[in-house]
Amino acid sequence: MDELVYVTAGWRYLHGRQLPMGPAVTFTVDNFEHPPLAKYLFGIAQVIAGHPSLTAARLVAVLCTLATGVVLGCWIGGVAGRWTGLLAGALVTLVPTHIPGVAYRFGRYAMLDPVAELLATGAMAAGWFWFQHRGRPGWRWAAGTGVLTGLAAGAKANGFLGLVGPVLLGLVLVLRERRELMTRLAQTAVACAVSALTFVALYLPLGDPVPRIRFMLEFQTKHAEDGHLIGFAGRVTAHPPWWTNLWFAGHGLGPVVVGVLAIGWVSALILRRDRLVGWCAAALVAPVLFHCFLARVTLGFYWAMWLPPTIALAALGLAALAQRVRAVRRGVRPAVVVLLAGALTWTAGLAAADTWRTLHARPAGTTYLPKVMALHNLRGAVLAGGIYGWEFTGVHLPGAVHYQVPADLSRVDTVVIGRPRCRTPVAADVRAFLAANQGSLRQAYRDHLIVVYAVQARLRAPTTTEIAAQPPWNLAAFC
């Protein structure tokens, strides 16, 4: 994931250290590929901590995840009843959302999505109250919705998508009232203008907004054209099929959670069928159309940002189903109650297990490498294989990190190999090096992410023949 990139950019933003922007075809250390709001918050958290801190930035994401549950719970609870709101808020906060390559719940990481998720949920709630009020309150809610939508897009560019469907639905519902329709259209124009102004204003602390926004748009356009290499369902591709986000969502939530949510969705559409159900369902239309059919780039976590309306819809359906169960025959009622209670209990158990794992988490992977090297008195260069360069971001090592076998092996005293995973090859020269130096390397440490070897004898570089003899790497393995 890119959390270290966002955390570093946030620190730089608050210290006025942005570099001149280059061509929009390359990543930048200041991460102008994305809007700045979430990175401001990460930077503020680090300033409060007094030093660059991934933990401080992650705390921002955690608080945003918790706040999303509170906002959703208060909104749904105020409209549909406190227990329905409590169910919606609890599910958003507790349901495990696992992402490929990430050990714990996604909302605990310093990514843009938890911040954008909170603001997008707030915008959807404000939009609901906007279309529930007429006169001056309606105008105030429209302006507030515009501010929240601009902030959501300022955290992540697609943050406004969740409000597109609901606003269109609200306009459709007043089509027969010409005067009201004209008022709502005017309010929509105001909301759009306020949203755009809010989005642009977020760039002002960095300087002129225009070149930075242009850079973001050009970069994202080029990124969509080139695609992004990902692995899933036993394949690797830069332009995945339309159902890829759904595949990631299903595997990230798990079959039990998906089953519980599906029961809720069907129940909401069949048993409730009111405006709130329509509002939550409409909030998913634009994100689904965009990510499945329009966007040409898919990553394993894009779906997680749109869980709140998905869970709200399920909570409304489960509450309606629970009410309907009271009316069924006594012989059937216990079986239905046991089924629903068992499914919800299992879901709660998954959340509790995820929390338990997090509480007992220990440093692992490249973040633990400096301690391993210190324990074994390793102070030289590092040869790495099966590990991406960004995984060493923020990791302070005594020597350089090489991703290919260097010409001078005398400075290398540590070899780090990533555990097998999807779309992460170990270079042929590194594999040949390991085979040629088995007697010179001693395993010093291993966890679920890396294996560390300490050099204990003179190393030799693999020959061209030995490198050529290495079999091709299967990128789709472990996908």
Side-chain angles (χ1 to χ4, degrees), residues 320-345:
L321 182 59
Q323 292 179 349
R324 185 62 61 93
V325 166
R326 297 177 183 177
V328 302
R329 292 179 301 175
R330 291 185 178 182
V332 179
R333 187 185 305 172
V336 177
V337 170
V338 168
L339 178 63
L340 286 175
L344 290 174
T345 301

Short mmCIF file of all heavy atoms in Angstrom, two decimals, residues 320-345:
data_model
loop_
_atom_site.label_atom_id
_atom_site.label_comp_id
_atom_site.label_asym_id
_atom_site.label_seq_id
_atom_site.Cartn_x
_atom_site.Cartn_y
_atom_site.Cartn_z
N ALA A 320 -36.02 -4.79 9.13
CA ALA A 320 -37.35 -5.10 8.60
C ALA A 320 -37.66 -6.58 8.69
O ALA A 320 -38.78 -6.99 9.00
CB ALA A 320 -37.46 -4.61 7.16
N LEU A 321 -36.64 -7.41 8.43
CA LEU A 321 -36.83 -8.85 8.51
C LEU A 321 -37.10 -9.28 9.95
O LEU A 321 -37.96 -10.15 10.19
CB LEU A 321 -35.58 -9.55 7.98
CG LEU A 321 -35.62 -11.09 7.94
CD1 LEU A 321 -36.77 -11.58 7.06
CD2 LEU A 321 -34.28 -11.63 7.43
N ALA A 322 -36.41 -8.66 10.90
CA ALA A 322 -36.63 -9.00 12.31
C ALA A 322 -38.06 -8.67 12.73
O ALA A 322 -38.70 -9.42 13.48
CB ALA A 322 -35.63 -8.25 13.18
N GLN A 323 -38.59 -7.54 12.25
CA GLN A 323 -39.97 -7.19 12.55
C GLN A 323 -40.95 -8.17 11.92
O GLN A 323 -41.97 -8.53 12.52
CB GLN A 323 -40.26 -5.77 12.08
CG GLN A 323 -39.52 -4.69 12.86
CD GLN A 323 -39.80 -3.30 12.34
OE1 GLN A 323 -40.38 -3.14 11.27
NE2 GLN A 323 -39.36 -2.30 13.10
N ARG A 324 -40.63 -8.60 10.70
CA ARG A 324 -41.52 -9.54 10.01
C ARG A 324 -41.52 -10.90 10.69
O ARG A 324 -42.54 -11.60 10.69
CB ARG A 324 -41.08 -9.67 8.54
CG ARG A 324 -42.01 -10.52 7.69
CD ARG A 324 -43.41 -9.93 7.62
NE ARG A 324 -43.41 -8.61 7.02
CZ ARG A 324 -43.61 -8.39 5.72
NH1 ARG A 324 -43.80 -9.42 4.91
NH2 ARG A 324 -43.62 -7.17 5.26
N VAL A 325 -40.39 -11.27 11.29
CA VAL A 325 -40.30 -12.58 11.96
C VAL A 325 -41.31 -12.67 13.10
O VAL A 325 -41.85 -13.75 13.38
CB VAL A 325 -38.86 -12.80 12.49
CG1 VAL A 325 -38.82 -13.96 13.47
CG2 VAL A 325 -37.92 -13.06 11.31
N ARG A 326 -41.59 -11.54 13.74
CA ARG A 326 -42.55 -11.56 14.84
C ARG A 326 -43.94 -12.00 14.40
O ARG A 326 -44.73 -12.50 15.22
CB ARG A 326 -42.64 -10.17 15.47
CG ARG A 326 -41.35 -9.67 16.10
CD ARG A 326 -41.53 -8.26 16.61
NE ARG A 326 -40.29 -7.73 17.16
CZ ARG A 326 -40.15 -6.50 17.63
NH1 ARG A 326 -41.20 -5.68 17.62
NH2 ARG A 326 -38.99 -6.09 18.11
N ALA A 327 -44.23 -11.80 13.11
CA ALA A 327 -45.57 -12.11 12.62
C ALA A 327 -45.70 -13.53 12.06
O ALA A 327 -46.81 -13.94 11.74
CB ALA A 327 -45.96 -11.09 11.54
N VAL A 328 -44.59 -14.25 11.94
CA VAL A 328 -44.68 -15.59 11.36
C VAL A 328 -45.15 -16.58 12.41
O VAL A 328 -45.19 -16.30 13.60
CB VAL A 328 -43.31 -16.03 10.79
CG1 VAL A 328 -42.82 -15.05 9.74
CG2 VAL A 328 -42.28 -16.18 11.90
N ARG A 329 -45.49 -17.77 11.95
CA ARG A 329 -46.00 -18.80 12.85
C ARG A 329 -44.95 -19.18 13.89
O ARG A 329 -43.76 -19.15 13.64
CB ARG A 329 -46.41 -20.03 12.05
CG ARG A 329 -47.64 -19.80 11.16
CD ARG A 329 -47.97 -21.06 10.39
NE ARG A 329 -46.85 -21.48 9.56
CZ ARG A 329 -46.85 -22.61 8.85
NH1 ARG A 329 -47.89 -23.43 8.90
NH2 ARG A 329 -45.81 -22.92 8.10
N ARG A 330 -45.43 -19.59 15.06
CA ARG A 330 -44.52 -19.90 16.15
C ARG A 330 -43.55 -21.03 15.80
O ARG A 330 -42.42 -21.05 16.27
CB ARG A 330 -45.32 -20.29 17.39
CG ARG A 330 -46.08 -19.12 18.00
CD ARG A 330 -46.76 -19.54 19.29
NE ARG A 330 -47.44 -18.39 19.89
CZ ARG A 330 -48.09 -18.47 21.05
NH1 ARG A 330 -48.16 -19.64 21.71
NH2 ARG A 330 -48.68 -17.39 21.55
N GLY A 331 -43.99 -21.98 14.99
CA GLY A 331 -43.11 -23.09 14.65
C GLY A 331 -41.96 -22.69 13.77
O GLY A 331 -40.89 -23.30 13.79
N VAL A 332 -42.15 -21.63 12.98
CA VAL A 332 -41.11 -21.18 12.05
C VAL A 332 -40.20 -20.14 12.71
O VAL A 332 -39.01 -20.07 12.42
CB VAL A 332 -41.76 -20.59 10.77
CG1 VAL A 332 -40.69 -20.08 9.81
CG2 VAL A 332 -42.64 -21.64 10.10
N ARG A 333 -40.79 -19.35 13.61
CA ARG A 333 -40.06 -18.22 14.20
C ARG A 333 -38.74 -18.62 14.85
O ARG A 333 -37.71 -17.97 14.60
CB ARG A 333 -40.94 -17.51 15.22
CG ARG A 333 -40.34 -16.23 15.76
CD ARG A 333 -41.20 -15.64 16.85
NE ARG A 333 -42.57 -15.45 16.39
CZ ARG A 333 -43.58 -15.10 17.20
NH1 ARG A 333 -43.35 -14.94 18.50
NH2 ARG A 333 -44.78 -14.93 16.71
N PRO A 334 -38.68 -19.68 15.67
CA PRO A 334 -37.40 -20.02 16.30
C PRO A 334 -36.30 -20.33 15.30
O PRO A 334 -35.14 -19.94 15.51
CB PRO A 334 -37.75 -21.25 17.16
CG PRO A 334 -39.21 -21.14 17.40
CD PRO A 334 -39.78 -20.53 16.18
N ALA A 335 -36.64 -21.00 14.22
CA ALA A 335 -35.62 -21.35 13.23
C ALA A 335 -35.05 -20.10 12.57
O ALA A 335 -33.84 -19.98 12.36
CB ALA A 335 -36.22 -22.28 12.18
N VAL A 336 -35.94 -19.14 12.24
CA VAL A 336 -35.48 -17.91 11.61
C VAL A 336 -34.62 -17.10 12.58
O VAL A 336 -33.57 -16.55 12.22
CB VAL A 336 -36.69 -17.08 11.13
CG1 VAL A 336 -36.21 -15.75 10.54
CG2 VAL A 336 -37.50 -17.85 10.11
N VAL A 337 -35.07 -17.04 13.85
CA VAL A 337 -34.32 -16.30 14.86
C VAL A 337 -32.93 -16.90 15.06
O VAL A 337 -31.92 -16.20 15.13
CB VAL A 337 -35.09 -16.27 16.20
CG1 VAL A 337 -34.20 -15.71 17.31
CG2 VAL A 337 -36.35 -15.44 16.06
N VAL A 338 -32.88 -18.24 15.14
CA VAL A 338 -31.59 -18.91 15.32
C VAL A 338 -30.68 -18.65 14.13
O VAL A 338 -29.47 -18.38 14.29
CB VAL A 338 -31.80 -20.43 15.52
CG1 VAL A 338 -30.47 -21.17 15.42
CG2 VAL A 338 -32.46 -20.70 16.87
N LEU A 339 -31.24 -18.66 12.91
CA LEU A 339 -30.43 -18.41 11.71
C LEU A 339 -29.85 -17.00 11.71
O LEU A 339 -28.65 -16.80 11.49
CB LEU A 339 -31.29 -18.64 10.46
CG LEU A 339 -30.61 -18.37 9.11
CD1 LEU A 339 -29.45 -19.34 8.92
CD2 LEU A 339 -31.60 -18.52 7.96
N LEU A 340 -30.71 -16.00 11.96
CA LEU A 340 -30.23 -14.62 11.97
C LEU A 340 -29.24 -14.37 13.11
O LEU A 340 -28.20 -13.74 12.91
CB LEU A 340 -31.42 -13.66 12.10
CG LEU A 340 -32.29 -13.48 10.85
CD1 LEU A 340 -33.48 -12.59 11.17
CD2 LEU A 340 -31.47 -12.88 9.72
N ALA A 341 -29.58 -14.86 14.30
CA ALA A 341 -28.70 -14.67 15.45
C ALA A 341 -27.35 -15.34 15.23
O ALA A 341 -26.29 -14.79 15.56
CB ALA A 341 -29.36 -15.20 16.72
N GLY A 342 -27.38 -16.53 14.65
CA GLY A 342 -26.13 -17.24 14.38
C GLY A 342 -25.27 -16.51 13.38
O GLY A 342 -24.04 -16.39 13.55
N ALA A 343 -25.89 -15.97 12.31
CA ALA A 343 -25.13 -15.25 11.28
C ALA A 343 -24.51 -13.98 11.87
O ALA A 343 -23.33 -13.67 11.63
CB ALA A 343 -26.03 -14.91 10.10
N LEU A 344 -25.30 -13.23 12.66
CA LEU A 344 -24.78 -12.00 13.25
C LEU A 344 -23.71 -12.30 14.30
O LEU A 344 -22.72 -11.57 14.43
CB LEU A 344 -25.92 -11.20 13.87
CG LEU A 344 -26.90 -10.56 12.88
CD1 LEU A 344 -28.07 -9.92 13.61
CD2 LEU A 344 -26.19 -9.52 12.01
N THR A 345 -23.91 -13.38 15.06
CA THR A 345 -22.91 -13.76 16.06
C THR A 345 -21.60 -14.15 15.39
O THR A 345 -20.50 -13.80 15.86
CB THR A 345 -23.43 -14.93 16.92
OG1 THR A 345 -24.64 -14.53 17.57
CG2 THR A 345 -22.40 -15.33 17.98
#
